[in-house]
Amino acid sequence: MFVLKFSIAGQDQVLRTFSRWTDALSDFSPALEKIADDFLELEASQFASEGKTGSGGWKALSPDYAAWKAVHYPGAKILERDGWLRDSLTVKDAPFGVREITPTQAVLGSSLPYAMYHQTGTRKMPARPPIELSESDKTRWGKLVHKWLYEMARSI
């Protein structure tokens, strides 16, 4: 059996179980690579839309911080002050990007320490989750694995 599970800040986001055809397989990395590539596209859309793609939009910046940011980082969108967080989640092999794929697992995300604060929020800052999966994302990933399993079964 193969379980597709995606956790964000300790919360399960995708949980799909595949039992057909999986007993003879031990390397799911080709399917996980496809999911990782799709993740980059999903995140690019999330940043381009300032969170609207996954969650309906990130909360606006406080007026004081928005004014400071407009002076010091003119034109930078929410969560894009220096672009490191965006790039770490949208560009393959970017600095601070996490893409670790093994035969049975993919770990994707950002190693920037402040990424978690944006994902979950703090006492002084609302959550602006850069990673937010919609139901259609979860379904698409499940179908991607299913299609790959089907192709593998046909080649046996």
Side-chain angles (χ1 to χ4, degrees):
M1 176 174 10
F2 177 73
V3 177
L4 176 63
K5 177 181 173 182
F6 194 87
S7 296
I8 303 171
Q11 297 179 341
D12 291 344
Q13 296 291 310
V14 174
L15 189 56
R16 302 282 192 268
T17 304
F18 299 88
S19 57
R20 250 174 121 185
W21 309 307
T22 60
D23 291 340
L25 298 172
S26 59
D27 185 1
F28 294 86
S29 60
L32 297 174
E33 286 284 354
K34 290 180 181 185
I35 288 172
D37 290 342
D38 188 77
F39 175 79
L40 295 176
E41 291 178 25
L42 180 150
E43 285 301 298
S45 179
Q46 179 77 332
F47 275 88
S49 70
E50 294 188 311
K52 291 182 181 127
T53 298
S55 61
W58 294 322
K59 293 188 190 310
L61 301 175
S62 70
D64 288 343
Y65 182 69
W68 178 88
K69 186 175 177 181
V71 169
H72 293 91
Y73 297 90
K77 294 180 172 184
I78 296 174
L79 296 190
E80 292 191 30
R81 188 172 85 179
D82 54 25
W84 290 353
L85 178 60
R86 179 200 61 230
D87 289 353
S88 71
L89 293 169
T90 64
V91 178
K92 188 175 182 178
D93 300 324
F96 308 108
V98 175
R99 183 182 178 122
E100 300 166 7
I101 298 175
T102 69
T104 59
Q105 175 177 300
V107 178
L108 309 170
S110 177
S111 65
L112 288 165
Y114 56 82
M116 183 63 74
Y117 300 129
H118 290 300
Q119 186 70 36
T120 61
T122 68
R123 255 184 332 110
K124 297 180 178 182
M125 182 180 74
R128 294 182 182 97
I131 303 173
E132 185 117 10
L133 302 176
S134 69
E135 286 305 314
S136 67
D137 298 329
K138 298 172 190 180
T139 300
R140 185 176 61 257
W141 288 1
K143 287 180 178 179
L144 193 150
V145 171
H146 185 266
K147 180 181 177 189
W148 178 80
L149 286 170
Y150 179 74
E151 289 169 0
M152 292 301 297
R154 287 186 51 157
S155 69
I156 295 175

